[in-house]
């Protein structure tokens, strides 16, 4: 179903103001071919554009999120997996986004309070002490647009922080500006200091907390992995222990330099036996040289041998070395 129903449209209208909290999922995407999926996605984005009034295009997660397994033979299988990972990451970040949203709301209200305080103070300061207060107030309220510009320049306030002049005038028309309390310079200094220094400190605190959580999570995951009775050091490396043992024996038989590394003419001779083209070997060397020293240690040599074998079996070399290809001791 490509159209947006009236019920769904009314639901989205009820969520107005909370658009950043909405997540859209295009489910069961593996039930159609890529061409049909492209059409469905385009139609969905067009329909959402008429309902969700946001400056940015809404993010739509494409995949298959139900009790049936994902179709591994689908041409977009890798895309669906990446989309699912992005959605999980997005959901995991909700607590952080909630904290940021609260800070943004606090900043918005603080800036609005600051502008209101400066407006009332400026208008009150222009009123006469005794006679003609009401007439002067009426004149000022009729000139609110110019008053706003004057206050904006005087206090270096952005125009976007100011309220709607017509609505603001309708609220103040029944108020006596002379009865408002005097503006406290001390309180305004505290407010400006909070916006300039304390709010950024809060944001830095959130970032620092995220880093600590990430470190703790990584440490815990590594600890749990190592406590597994079937754990093997480097067990998640693409090179198996049996292959590594074979590659190590061959590595020790090569003409290594004084540092025990494979480099120069010895490396050319070692890899020439693979009978691969020069440009392929160039890329293999670039990927395997994880340390960037233009020489290979035993782990890097094992990785190079593994890449060569993959090419021989018809597999394409990766553009960037995947994490599980990097030798465990060099991560």
């Amino acid at each position: 179903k490509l159209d947006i129903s009236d019920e769904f449209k009314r639901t989205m209208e009820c969520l107005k103001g909370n658009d950043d909290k909405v997540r859209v999922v295009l489910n069961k995407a593996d039930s159609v071919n890529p061409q049909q999926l492209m059409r469905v996605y385009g139609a969905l984005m067009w329909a959402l554009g008429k309902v969700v009034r946001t400056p940015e295009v809404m993010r739509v997660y494409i995949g298959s999120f139900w009790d049936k397994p994902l179709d591994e033979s689908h041409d977009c299988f890798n895309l669906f997996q990446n989309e699912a990972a992005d959605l999980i990451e997005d959901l995991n970040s909700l607590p952080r986004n909630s904290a940021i949203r609260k800070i943004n709301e606090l900043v918005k209200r603080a800036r609005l309070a600051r502008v209101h305080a400066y407006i009332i103070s400026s208008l009150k300061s222009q009123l006469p002490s005794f006679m003609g207060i009401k007439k002067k107030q009426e004149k000022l309220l009729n000139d609110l647009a110019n008053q706003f510009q004057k206050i904006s320049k005087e206090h270096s306030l952005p125009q976007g922080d100011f309220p709607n002049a017509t609505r603001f005038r309708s609220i103040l028309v029944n108020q006596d500006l002379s009865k408002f309390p005097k503006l406290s310079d001390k309180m305004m200094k505290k407010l400006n200091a909070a916006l300039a220094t304390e709010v950024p400190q809060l944001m830095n605190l959130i970032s620092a907390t995220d880093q600590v959580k990430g470190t703790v999570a990584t440490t815990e995951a590594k600890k749990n992995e190592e406590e597994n009775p079937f754990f093997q050091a480097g067990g998640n490396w693409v090179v198996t222990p049996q292959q590594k043992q074979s590659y190590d024996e061959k590595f020790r038989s090569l003409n290594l330099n004084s540092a025990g590394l494979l480099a120069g003419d010895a490396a050319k001779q070692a890899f020439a036996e693979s009978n691969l083209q020069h440009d392929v070997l160039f890329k293999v060397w670039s990927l395997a040289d994880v340390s960037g020293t233009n020489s290979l240690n035993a782990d890097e040599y094992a990785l190079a041998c593994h890449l060569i074998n993959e090419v021989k079996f018809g597999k394409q070399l990766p553009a960037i070395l995947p994490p599980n290809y990097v030798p465990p001791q060099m991560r």
Side-chain angles (χ1 to χ4, degrees):
K1 188 175 180 180
L2 303 181
D3 60 324
I4 301 294
S5 65
D6 293 338
E7 295 83 359
F8 184 76
K9 184 176 181 180
R10 286 195 293 269
T11 301
M12 294 300 296
E13 289 174 351
C14 292
L15 295 173
K16 188 176 180 180
N18 297 284
D19 303 300
D20 59 327
K21 301 178 183 178
V22 177
R23 302 293 183 272
V24 180
V25 174
L26 181 56
N27 197 16
K28 303 179 183 178
D30 58 343
S31 61
V32 295
N33 62 47
Q35 185 178 14
Q36 293 172 326
L37 179 60
M38 181 182 65
R39 292 175 179 172
V40 172
Y41 178 79
L44 176 62
M45 296 300 293
W46 179 80
L48 285 174
K50 297 192 299 181
V51 177
V52 183
R53 303 294 182 180
T54 55
E56 296 182 358
V57 178
M58 179 165 282
R59 175 74 157 88
V60 176
Y61 295 95
I62 307 172
S64 184
F65 308 96
W66 58 323
D67 56 348
K68 290 189 177 181
L70 182 63
D71 183 7
E72 297 185 6
S73 63
H74 199 282
D75 292 337
C76 299
F77 176 74
N78 291 333
L79 170 66
F80 298 152
Q81 284 191 315
N82 293 335
E83 288 285 285
D86 288 348
L87 178 58
I88 295 300
E89 183 179 354
D90 190 4
L91 294 175
N92 288 333
S93 68
L94 286 178
R96 179 182 185 276
N97 293 340
S98 176
I100 294 176
R101 193 179 298 113
K102 290 176 181 177
I103 293 177
N104 290 337
E105 186 65 24
L106 172 65
V107 171
K108 179 182 176 182
R109 294 188 181 190
R111 291 172 63 170
L112 193 60
R114 178 176 62 179
V115 166
H116 278 66
Y118 281 129
I119 292 174
I120 298 299
S121 176
S122 177
L123 295 177
K124 181 181 178 181
S125 66
Q126 299 178 59
L127 294 177
S129 301
F130 298 103
M131 303 295 292
I133 295 178
K134 187 174 182 180
K135 188 175 181 180
K136 181 63 175 178
Q137 176 173 324
E138 184 179 350
K139 183 179 179 181
L140 290 171
L141 294 181
N142 289 331
D143 191 40
L144 268 186
N146 292 327
Q147 293 295 324
F148 284 0
Q149 289 184 359
K150 175 185 172 183
I151 297 168
S152 174
K153 291 180 180 179
E154 182 181 353
H155 299 285
S156 300
L157 300 173
Q159 286 286 341
D161 287 355
F162 284 78
N164 179 274
T166 303
R167 186 171 182 274
F168 199 70
R169 185 186 301 110
S170 66
I171 295 174
L172 287 182
V173 72
N174 297 320
Q175 304 292 329
D176 186 354
L177 293 178
S178 63
K179 293 184 178 180
F180 278 90
K182 183 181 178 181
L183 182 66
S184 171
D185 292 334
K186 183 179 179 180
M187 294 297 293
M188 294 307 295
K189 286 181 179 179
K190 287 185 177 180
L191 178 57
N192 288 325
L195 290 172
T197 59
E198 294 179 16
V199 170
Q201 288 175 1
L202 277 177
M203 296 300 296
N204 292 335
L205 184 62
I206 292 177
S207 299
T209 302
D210 290 341
Q211 292 178 359
V212 171
K213 286 182 177 179
T215 303
V216 171
T218 303
T219 304
E220 288 295 325
K222 185 175 181 181
K223 181 180 178 182
N224 292 337
E225 182 184 77
E226 292 176 351
E227 290 177 352
N228 190 308
F230 299 98
F231 171 76
Q232 286 183 330
N236 62 338
W237 192 21
V238 69
V239 179
T240 65
Q242 293 79 10
Q243 291 173 332
K244 181 64 166 61
Q245 184 177 359
S246 174
Y247 295 146
D248 283 348
E249 292 178 1
K250 190 172 182 180
F251 180 76
R252 288 191 290 267
S253 68
L254 298 174
N255 185 20
L256 306 179
N257 62 19
S258 58
L261 303 175
L262 178 65
D265 293 335
K268 287 183 179 180
Q269 184 178 356
F271 291 122
E273 299 174 2
S274 65
N275 295 321
L276 295 179
Q277 295 182 0
H278 183 272
D279 58 334
V280 176
L281 290 176
F282 178 86
K283 190 171 183 179
V284 167
W285 181 275
S286 299
L287 290 170
D289 185 18
V290 179
S291 60
T293 58
N294 287 322
S295 57
L296 304 183
N297 59 26
D299 288 345
E300 292 171 322
Y301 174 77
L303 173 60
C305 292
H306 181 84
L307 291 171
I308 288 173
N309 287 334
E310 286 190 336
V311 173
K312 287 182 176 180
F313 281 103
K315 190 173 180 180
Q316 294 289 331
L317 287 172
I320 301 175
L321 203 62
N324 64 322
Y325 276 61
V326 179
Q329 301 300 328
M330 306 183 72
R331 295 175 186 174

